[in-house]
Amino acid sequence: MNPPDPTAAQADDPNVVFHVHGVTKVYPMGEVEVQALRGVDMDLYSGELVVLLGPSGSGKSTLLNILGGLDTPTAGHVLYRGRDLTRASERELTDYRRYHVGFVFQFYNLIPSLTARENVAVVTEIARQPMRPEEALELVGLGNRLDHFPAQLSGGEQQRVAIARAIAKNPEVLLCDEPTGALDSATGIVVLEAIERVNRELGTATAVITHNASIAQMADRVIYMGDGLITHVDTNATRKAPRELSW
Amino acid sequence: MRALDRKLLRDLWYLRGQALAIALVIGAGLAAVLMSISTLDSLQTTRAIYYRDYGFAHIFASLKRAPESLGERIAALPGVDRVATRVWAPVTIEIAGFTDPVSGLLVSAPRAGRADLNRLYLRAGRLLDPNRSDEVIIGDAFAEAHAFKPGDRLGVIVNGKRKQLNIVGIALSPEFIYQISPHAIFPDFARFGVLWMAHDALATAFDMDGAFNNVTLTLARGAREADVIERLDAVLERYGGLGAYGREDQLSHRFLSQEFTQLEQMGRTFSVIFLGVAVFLLNMVVTRLVSTQREEIATLKAFGYSNASIGLHYAKLVVAIVLLGIVAGVAAGIWLGQGLSHTYMEYYRFPYLHFQLRPSIVLGATLTTAVAALIGTVFAVRRAVRLPPAQAMRPEPPPLYRATLMERLGLQRWLSQPSRMILRHIERRPVKSALSVLGIGLAGGIVISGTFMTDAVDFMVEAEFRMAQREDIAVSFTEPTSYRALHELAALPGVTRVEPVRAVPVRLRHGQHIYRTAIQGLAPDADLHRTLDTHLQPVSFPPDGIVLTDYLGTRLDLKPGDLLTVEVLDGSQPVREVPVVGFVQQYIGTGGYMDLAALNRLLREDRAITGAFLAVDAHQRENVYARLKKMPRVAGVQVHENAIRNYYASIGDLLLTFMTFIAGLAGAITFGVVYNSARITLSERSRELASLRVLGFTRGEIAYILLGELALLTLAAIPLGFMVGRALSAHFIATIHQELFRVPLVLNPDTYALSAGIVLASAIISGLIVRRRLDRLDLIAVLKTKE
Ligand SMILES: Nc1ncnc2c1ncn2[C@@H]1O[C@H](COP(=O)(O)OP(=O)(O)O)[C@@H](O)[C@H]1O
Ligand SMILES: [Mg+2]
């Protein structure tokens, strides 16, 4: 099976976690079509923390969803450690999501009938080497909210439960869609510290979507998106710790 | 416990209202099935055991008179096992304080030391003393109708002689489970009774010393009934045999069998309808229930749960709900089945009841239900997991935006914002709306199919007893009599009109089809007792040929012009051929009709009659009864009003009892479906409605939006329910047994009104519950969780 990708050789590089080539995404809307992605090329390296910046509607979530195996591109290829996700079977995609990816959704997507602890447990119960749910919640500063239901938590607390849920399985990649979007700066910093710690201590390749430009300073690289394309990429010489960010 | 299982329990608790409603639908559907089938099985088993335990004979024959010694010859016939010879005599019964004419059958009781067939089950008192000639045992139904107890007395007129008898016992007999006068279509417990006397006493009183006029026997193992009947007829021919017959032509057994068949077919039809509807509704409800969980399913999928494990999770949820319904349904089915069986047992006067519920029936019905629910689950889960999780995690987008019909017609100007939202929502989701309407419509339809029988029964009574048979009294003579008897009857004070009738018991034969029934010869100018065509217009008989009830036409495969073989079971028992000239519409009973003169010509007999129909001045009734009792030739007197009452008391009641149970279950299903529709709509839309509240809509307005939609769908469902109900009723009629009566498809406005009423009441109750929930809608929770 030869992927028709001339740059496939790069995929063999052990440092490349994701190799994205020529990805487009079109949403058919009856007569009209929405071009969410118009041909994206990028790589994500192991251990690095990338921030995706761009105006609303530029295709950030769409790209992240495709990386996470939650959606499939209309054209192009996404290689995860050399394996082409666009050709993966349903079974392979399920395993990929189960064992390799931690996802923080823009809308939290907690299960309303489960407590914070149980929401995390839903994921740890099927993972290979998970943390204990309590541990993960401790990490995001929710050790005292274990038995609260989502409806009993603030938006920021719900978001932190979602992060705990994402990191509890010790994933190889962590994908976060506007994790601090609804949070005040103090809480936002707690959340970002959790993400940064996972990235640093476990070496988890991490991509974070935000439209808060100052957050970009904690990244190794910053990918700017506009209108379904990557406009340019910045590399930071040094990463700032979340606590040092000016909000 | 795993987090997912905990979610299961919490979801179940959260959905308890809906879960109970679903369980109600399943439970009622299952209960209807199990009730119908167990009742039938129990009745049939009980009858079989009763027959066996009390030696119910296989073959029966009446004759004029034969010496006792003939009994041994009969016993020696090949294929005959046990033989009981006996005497039976039609009698007139006199009861102090009861003016209506009462007729009866006096039967010699089984004799000690002889083959005792058709044994008595003693309810009260004691058996007969063979040496006493003034003792009698009476049937239980007759005793109850007159509150007779052992020790009471009654008078009988046997052979023109009056005899005073002491009641010593009250009994049941497998031979007379139905105590029905040979002259009546329906049992009348007060005016017809079976009595047993010691054999020798009765033989003496009836001039039958050393002789018998009735014989019953059982078949040897492996013997063929038809062969034995043929041999027996040959033996009895010299002794005035009136044609032997098997159980299927024995009055009580035949009546019972017809009713059982009818019940069985009703039970089967209702089982299919109820289970079908319940299963359909279940499937629909489960599909919708799972669809409301679409976002959770997508989330689980995003975490790496496989489709199979997500499917299993929801299957567990559904199975838990279904199990609740199944347990409730089986329990209710057994309970109702026992109740109904007991009602029937008392009605039929079985000495005991063997309640029976076949495990295979329970298993079959349960599996059907469970499988239907699981198919719905799988279907819904598959639909939910088909989409990529990224898309499924968002709420389902409405189908493509298009100006709605309302907007294209420019109606929006006339409608308030909430009204427009209702119409738009219904129009945007046509399939969901249509399914809601269909579900409620089906439920309303089964209510109709469960209640329309009342209308049909009323209509049959109206047609048969008020339009066709309009006599006040039907008189039957002990034997064919000359026309002169008519003048005697006409001369009675109070009698305003007399019409003759000649009834002949016959075996009708066409090709290989045989049917035992009677032919009635009626006067050409008959006005009291008429037959009607399909348009309820009186039919006049051609001077030759026979007219049959339409059921017999089908049964004997006849068309007008065919030649029908008539084997007369009376007098010299001639066999004749007669052309079929037409068919009449008759809802109750079966038989043939001929012009009286033509019938007598066919029999090559003089102008003979066997009975008469009388119109009587209402004030003179009692007088006429008294005079009729004194006429020795009069064997039986049927009072028309009693016939109507008896009809309702027998078949009417039986049907209606069954139907009442069925209608109750149909009502339960309806409520379950309507309530479910309301609850699911609520859970599908609570977020949207809460957002509207946040935007400043009042409680009243959002309640209006939701309940208005429910009301519109419910209103649309009512006429659909009418159509479904009519179709189900027609199907029901087409499948049930036709011999006893042919049910017409008649639906009165009140039946439709009942269906609409149950649907509306269910909708109102559901609406109130939903309204209460809407008032307590948690606005903050909506704001906190996403969007
Ligand atoms: N399911 C969908 N159907 C149609 N269009 C969509 C869908 N999801 C996203 N889009 C469109 O794709 C574009 C990119 O969306 P998204 O990736 O969510 O942007 P971002 O996350 O950068 O704000 C937007 O124009 C959005 O309207
Ligand atoms: Mg986005």
Side-chain angles (χ1 to χ4, degrees):
Chain A
M1 187 168 62
N2 273 325
D5 175 5
T7 59
Q10 283 177 5
D12 297 335
D13 184 340
N15 285 324
V16 174
V17 180
F18 283 114
H19 174 64
V20 176
H21 179 73
V23 163
T24 64
K25 179 70 183 180
V26 179
Y27 291 109
M29 299 270 292
E31 318 270 280
V32 288
E33 289 181 338
V34 177
Q35 280 267 359
L37 297 175
R38 299 169 180 275
V40 171
D41 298 302
M42 67 163 274
D43 290 309
L44 185 70
Y45 300 99
S46 37
E48 79 166 336
L49 197 158
V50 167
V51 163
L52 283 164
L53 266 180
S56 179
S58 55
K60 307 182 295 292
S61 295
T62 304
L63 178 59
L64 212 67
N65 287 340
I66 289 172
L67 292 182
L70 300 182
D71 212 346
T72 47
T74 309
H77 294 275
V78 178
L79 274 66
Y80 169 75
R81 298 234 179 257
R83 274 170 293 164
D84 193 343
L85 293 182
T86 58
R87 291 166 182 248
S89 68
E90 171 75 35
R91 173 85 236 155
E92 287 165 335
L93 267 185
T94 298
D95 283 348
Y96 167 64
R97 292 193 297 257
R98 177 182 294 208
Y99 301 123
H100 302 278
V101 197
F103 220 112
V104 178
F105 306 109
Q106 190 171 358
F107 302 125
Y108 327 145
N109 284 72
L110 298 180
I111 293 174
S113 55
L114 294 180
T115 61
R117 190 206 315 255
E118 290 159 356
N119 259 290
V120 179
V122 164
V123 171
T124 57
E125 277 167 3
I126 57 169
R128 270 185 193 140
Q129 278 164 333
M131 311 175 195
R132 289 184 305 108
E134 295 78 7
E135 211 180 321
L137 285 163
E138 202 70 60
L139 219 55
V140 293
L142 281 180
N144 55 346
R145 291 279 191 281
L146 295 176
D147 296 319
H148 285 57
F149 286 97
Q152 298 166 325
L153 296 170
S154 75
E157 286 167 333
Q158 290 188 48
Q159 185 63 300
R160 280 187 279 158
V161 174
I163 290 169
R165 188 173 59 178
I167 60 175
K169 69 166 81 158
N170 287 318
E172 282 165 64
V173 285
L174 181 60
L175 307 172
C176 310
D177 196 342
E178 303 198 20
T180 58
L183 308 182
D184 60 280
S185 57
T187 322
I189 285 168
V190 173
V191 165
L192 290 174
E193 276 179 334
I195 292 171
E196 201 263 351
R197 182 148 101 217
V198 171
N199 169 256
R200 187 164 30 81
E201 290 177 4
L202 308 174
T204 310
T206 305
V208 178
I209 292 177
T210 181
H211 39 231
N212 185 336
S214 58
I215 291 178
Q217 297 171 52
M218 69 180 273
D220 293 306
R221 286 195 299 149
V222 187
I223 297 176
Y224 293 88
M225 288 193 71
D227 201 17
L229 284 168
I230 292 179
T231 50
H232 69 284
V233 180
D234 274 354
T235 307
N236 291 332
T238 52
R239 276 165 46 164
K240 272 194 181 172
R243 212 170 309 120
E244 300 166 312
L245 299 175
S246 54
W247 210 266
Chain B
M1 198 192 310
R2 299 186 35 123
L4 220 49
D5 292 328
R6 216 165 281 163
K7 163 171 157 25
L8 186 86
L9 293 183
R10 297 227 181 90
D11 285 352
L12 261 179
W13 179 244
Y14 176 72
L15 291 170
R16 62 192 180 276
Q18 254 161 291
L20 285 176
I22 296 173
L24 184 68
V25 172
I26 304 169
L30 266 182
V33 173
L34 299 183
M35 174 190 83
S36 308
I37 297 181
S38 71
T39 299
L40 232 294
D41 284 350
S42 304
L43 287 178
Q44 251 145 5
T45 310
T46 303
R47 182 176 71 171
I49 292 174
Y50 184 27
Y51 279 180
R52 191 197 62 204
D53 289 354
Y54 287 83
F56 184 46
H58 289 125
I59 291 177
F60 310 80
S62 284
L63 51 146
K64 271 230 136 53
R65 182 191 180 95
E68 282 280 17
S69 57
L70 192 68
E72 272 144 53
R73 259 186 69 202
I74 295 171
L77 290 175
V80 173
D81 183 20
R82 289 177 293 160
V83 177
T85 58
R86 57 188 183 174
V87 175
W88 73 4
V91 290
T92 300
I93 301 175
E94 291 184 337
I95 299 165
F98 190 76
T99 53
D100 284 15
V102 181
S103 61
L105 186 65
L106 201 46
V107 185
S108 63
R111 281 176 279 177
R114 308 239 184 167
D116 59 344
L117 300 180
N118 312 310
R119 274 193 303 279
L120 299 181
Y121 173 94
L122 208 58
R123 267 262 158 101
R126 59 168 171 85
L127 287 174
L128 297 162
D129 179 344
N131 300 317
R132 302 209 38 153
S133 63
D134 60 349
E135 289 185 354
V136 69
I137 288 178
I138 63 173
D140 181 62
F142 183 60
E144 197 177 289
H146 293 287
F148 280 134
K149 322 176 281 304
D152 290 348
R153 294 162 70 80
L154 52 76
V156 294
I157 297 166
V158 197
N159 225 8
K161 286 172 298 224
R162 200 172 176 289
K163 223 171 143 49
Q164 192 71 17
L165 297 174
N166 296 318
I167 299 169
V168 298
I170 291 167
L172 303 172
S173 157
E175 194 182 1
F176 298 102
I177 292 173
Y178 249 118
Q179 308 205 339
I180 181 167
S181 155
H183 307 291
I185 321 176
F186 301 107
D188 181 343
F189 300 139
R191 293 169 192 81
F192 178 78
V194 178
L195 308 96
W196 290 268
M197 255 177 93
H199 179 271
D200 295 349
L202 180 56
T204 308
F206 204 54
D207 295 336
M208 280 277 170
D209 278 314
F212 67 93
N213 68 354
N214 186 277
V215 59
T216 66
L217 57 86
T218 52
L219 293 172
R221 202 173 278 279
R224 269 195 33 171
E225 186 185 282
D227 298 344
V228 176
I229 287 178
E230 206 168 298
R231 289 178 201 129
L232 184 61
D233 277 345
V235 170
L236 296 181
E237 201 185 343
R238 281 185 45 211
Y239 302 96
L242 295 177
Y245 49 89
R247 281 182 178 177
E248 73 270 21
D249 285 319
Q250 199 263 348
L251 216 50
S252 162
H253 179 86
R254 177 171 174 169
F255 208 80
L256 212 54
S257 297
Q258 289 175 358
E259 286 198 357
F260 281 11
T261 313
Q262 195 158 54
L263 264 182
E264 185 184 336
Q265 275 151 345
M266 271 166 48
R268 200 182 309 138
T269 306
F270 272 113
S271 297
V272 170
I273 291 178
F274 269 61
L275 203 60
V277 170
V279 151
F280 172 81
L281 294 172
L282 176 64
N283 186 295
M284 198 177 89
V285 165
V286 163
T287 307
R288 270 184 89 176
L289 187 67
V290 175
S291 303
T292 60
Q293 306 252 323
R294 161 193 154 107
E295 291 161 42
E296 282 183 23
I297 291 175
T299 306
L300 289 175
K301 209 181 154 191
F303 297 149
Y305 278 88
S306 66
N307 294 349
S309 56
I310 294 173
L312 185 69
H313 172 67
Y314 285 97
K316 279 191 210 162
L317 178 77
V318 169
V319 163
I321 295 175
V322 168
L323 215 56
L324 185 68
I326 287 175
V327 169
V330 171
I334 292 176
W335 186 65
L336 291 174
Q338 278 177 339
L340 195 59
S341 301
H342 264 278
T343 309
Y344 281 120
M345 177 197 86
E346 276 166 23
Y347 177 78
Y348 289 123
R349 292 163 194 285
F350 286 137
Y352 38 67
L353 178 75
H354 283 260
F355 183 74
Q356 218 191 13
L357 181 58
R358 278 175 283 162
S360 62
I361 299 290
V362 181
L363 204 69
T366 303
L367 278 182
T368 310
T369 313
V371 165
L374 289 179
I375 289 175
T377 314
V378 168
F379 182 76
V381 170
R382 267 185 49 177
R383 230 179 49 149
V385 297
R386 211 174 37 210
L387 290 173
Q391 227 164 310
M393 267 188 287
R394 302 163 172 238
E396 200 161 1
L400 221 47
Y401 179 82
R402 215 186 314 119
T404 59
L405 190 63
M406 163 187 73
E407 276 143 358
R408 273 175 280 149
L409 293 177
L411 292 179
Q412 74 268 35
R413 270 177 299 145
W414 310 102
L415 297 169
S416 66
Q417 174 70 14
S419 301
R420 269 180 274 164
M421 290 178 75
I422 292 173
L423 291 180
R424 236 183 257 132
H425 192 260
I426 291 177
E427 213 185 315
R428 291 270 161 70
R429 296 172 191 276
V431 175
K432 204 172 266 179
S433 304
L435 280 177
S436 285
V437 172
L438 181 63
I440 300 172
L442 272 177
I446 58 173
V447 173
I448 290 182
S449 77
T451 45
F452 87 99
M453 266 316 219
T454 344
D455 299 345
V457 166
D458 288 345
F459 179 85
M460 288 194 287
V461 167
E462 180 67 26
E464 289 301 320
F465 295 121
R466 307 237 187 258
M467 298 174 75
Q469 308 167 22
R470 306 187 297 173
E471 69 273 7
D472 294 317
I473 295 176
V475 173
S476 44
F477 302 128
T478 47
E479 55 191 352
T481 308
S482 81
Y483 268 45
R484 247 173 316 179
L486 290 180
H487 302 301
E488 246 177 90
L489 290 173
L492 293 177
V495 172
T496 54
R497 188 180 166 92
V498 179
E499 285 176 11
V501 61
R502 168 84 157 110
V504 192
V506 291
R507 206 150 38 205
L508 302 178
R509 199 187 281 274
H510 179 240
Q512 73 272 45
H513 308 286
I514 303 177
Y515 195 85
R516 202 180 156 112
T517 181
I519 298 177
Q520 289 196 354
L522 299 173
D525 60 346
D527 184 50
L528 294 177
H529 196 94
R530 316 177 294 177
T531 54
L532 305 177
D533 65 13
T534 35
H535 304 291
L536 298 178
Q537 293 306 307
V539 177
S540 56
F541 304 116
D544 275 305
I546 189 168
V547 169
L548 296 170
T549 49
D550 40 10
Y551 169 74
L552 273 186
T554 328
R555 174 82 182 247
L556 295 172
D557 192 21
L558 286 165
K559 51 187 189 312
D562 284 349
L563 266 191
L564 177 66
T565 306
V566 175
E567 304 175 15
V568 177
L569 301 174
D570 207 358
S572 60
Q573 307 200 11
V575 177
R576 306 266 193 266
E577 304 248 287
V578 56
V580 175
V581 291
F583 299 99
V584 285
Q585 171 82 45
Q586 189 175 313
Y587 296 109
I588 301 168
T590 52
Y593 296 94
M594 289 182 75
D595 176 79
L596 178 58
L599 180 59
N600 278 324
R601 263 202 307 284
L602 185 76
L603 298 172
R604 311 220 173 100
E605 277 178 21
D606 244 4
R607 310 201 321 148
I609 56 174
T610 56
F613 299 112
L614 310 184
V616 175
D617 183 352
H619 304 293
Q620 302 265 26
R621 249 193 210 172
E622 309 272 302
N623 253 336
V624 175
Y625 295 159
R627 297 287 294 269
L628 286 174
K629 271 191 215 174
K630 299 219 175 71
M631 298 173 80
R633 263 200 299 256
V634 171
V637 173
Q638 288 291 319
V639 178
H640 191 64
E641 280 309 310
N642 297 337
I644 299 175
R645 214 176 25 242
N646 294 338
Y647 174 76
Y648 273 108
S650 64
I651 291 172
D653 261 8
L654 217 57
L655 269 181
L656 298 180
T657 308
F658 183 79
M659 288 301 188
T660 309
F661 278 68
I662 285 291
L665 292 173
I669 289 184
T670 307
F671 178 76
V673 169
V674 174
Y675 180 64
N676 239 302
S677 261
R679 283 304 300 271
I680 293 181
T681 311
L682 175 67
S683 65
E684 284 167 351
R685 303 194 61 192
S686 58
R687 180 183 302 282
E688 175 192 342
L689 295 174
S691 309
L692 289 177
R693 286 274 286 127
V694 173
L695 294 179
F697 279 68
T698 64
R699 279 191 182 148
E701 278 167 333
I702 62 161
Y704 173 75
I705 291 171
L706 187 75
L707 300 180
E709 179 181 332
L710 281 178
L712 269 185
L713 297 181
T714 305
L715 288 179
I718 288 174
L720 179 70
F722 292 171
M723 288 188 280
V724 170
R726 202 177 164 84
L728 288 179
S729 303
H731 168 73
F732 175 74
I733 284 172
T735 54
I736 61 168
H737 196 56
Q738 308 251 303
E739 191 163 354
L740 216 47
F741 46 77
R742 274 71 58 198
V743 181
L745 183 55
V746 177
L747 292 165
N748 289 347
D750 53 350
T751 298
Y752 288 120
L754 181 71
S755 160
I758 290 181
V759 170
L760 280 178
S762 304
I764 289 169
I765 295 170
S766 309
L768 288 176
I769 298 175
V770 166
R771 165 88 210 226
R772 249 189 34 183
R773 301 220 147 226
L774 272 182
D775 286 349
R776 290 184 314 199
L777 210 56
D778 187 349
L779 304 187
I780 310 303
V782 175
L783 294 181
K784 266 199 219 159
T785 51
K786 74 176 185 182
E787 281 151 305

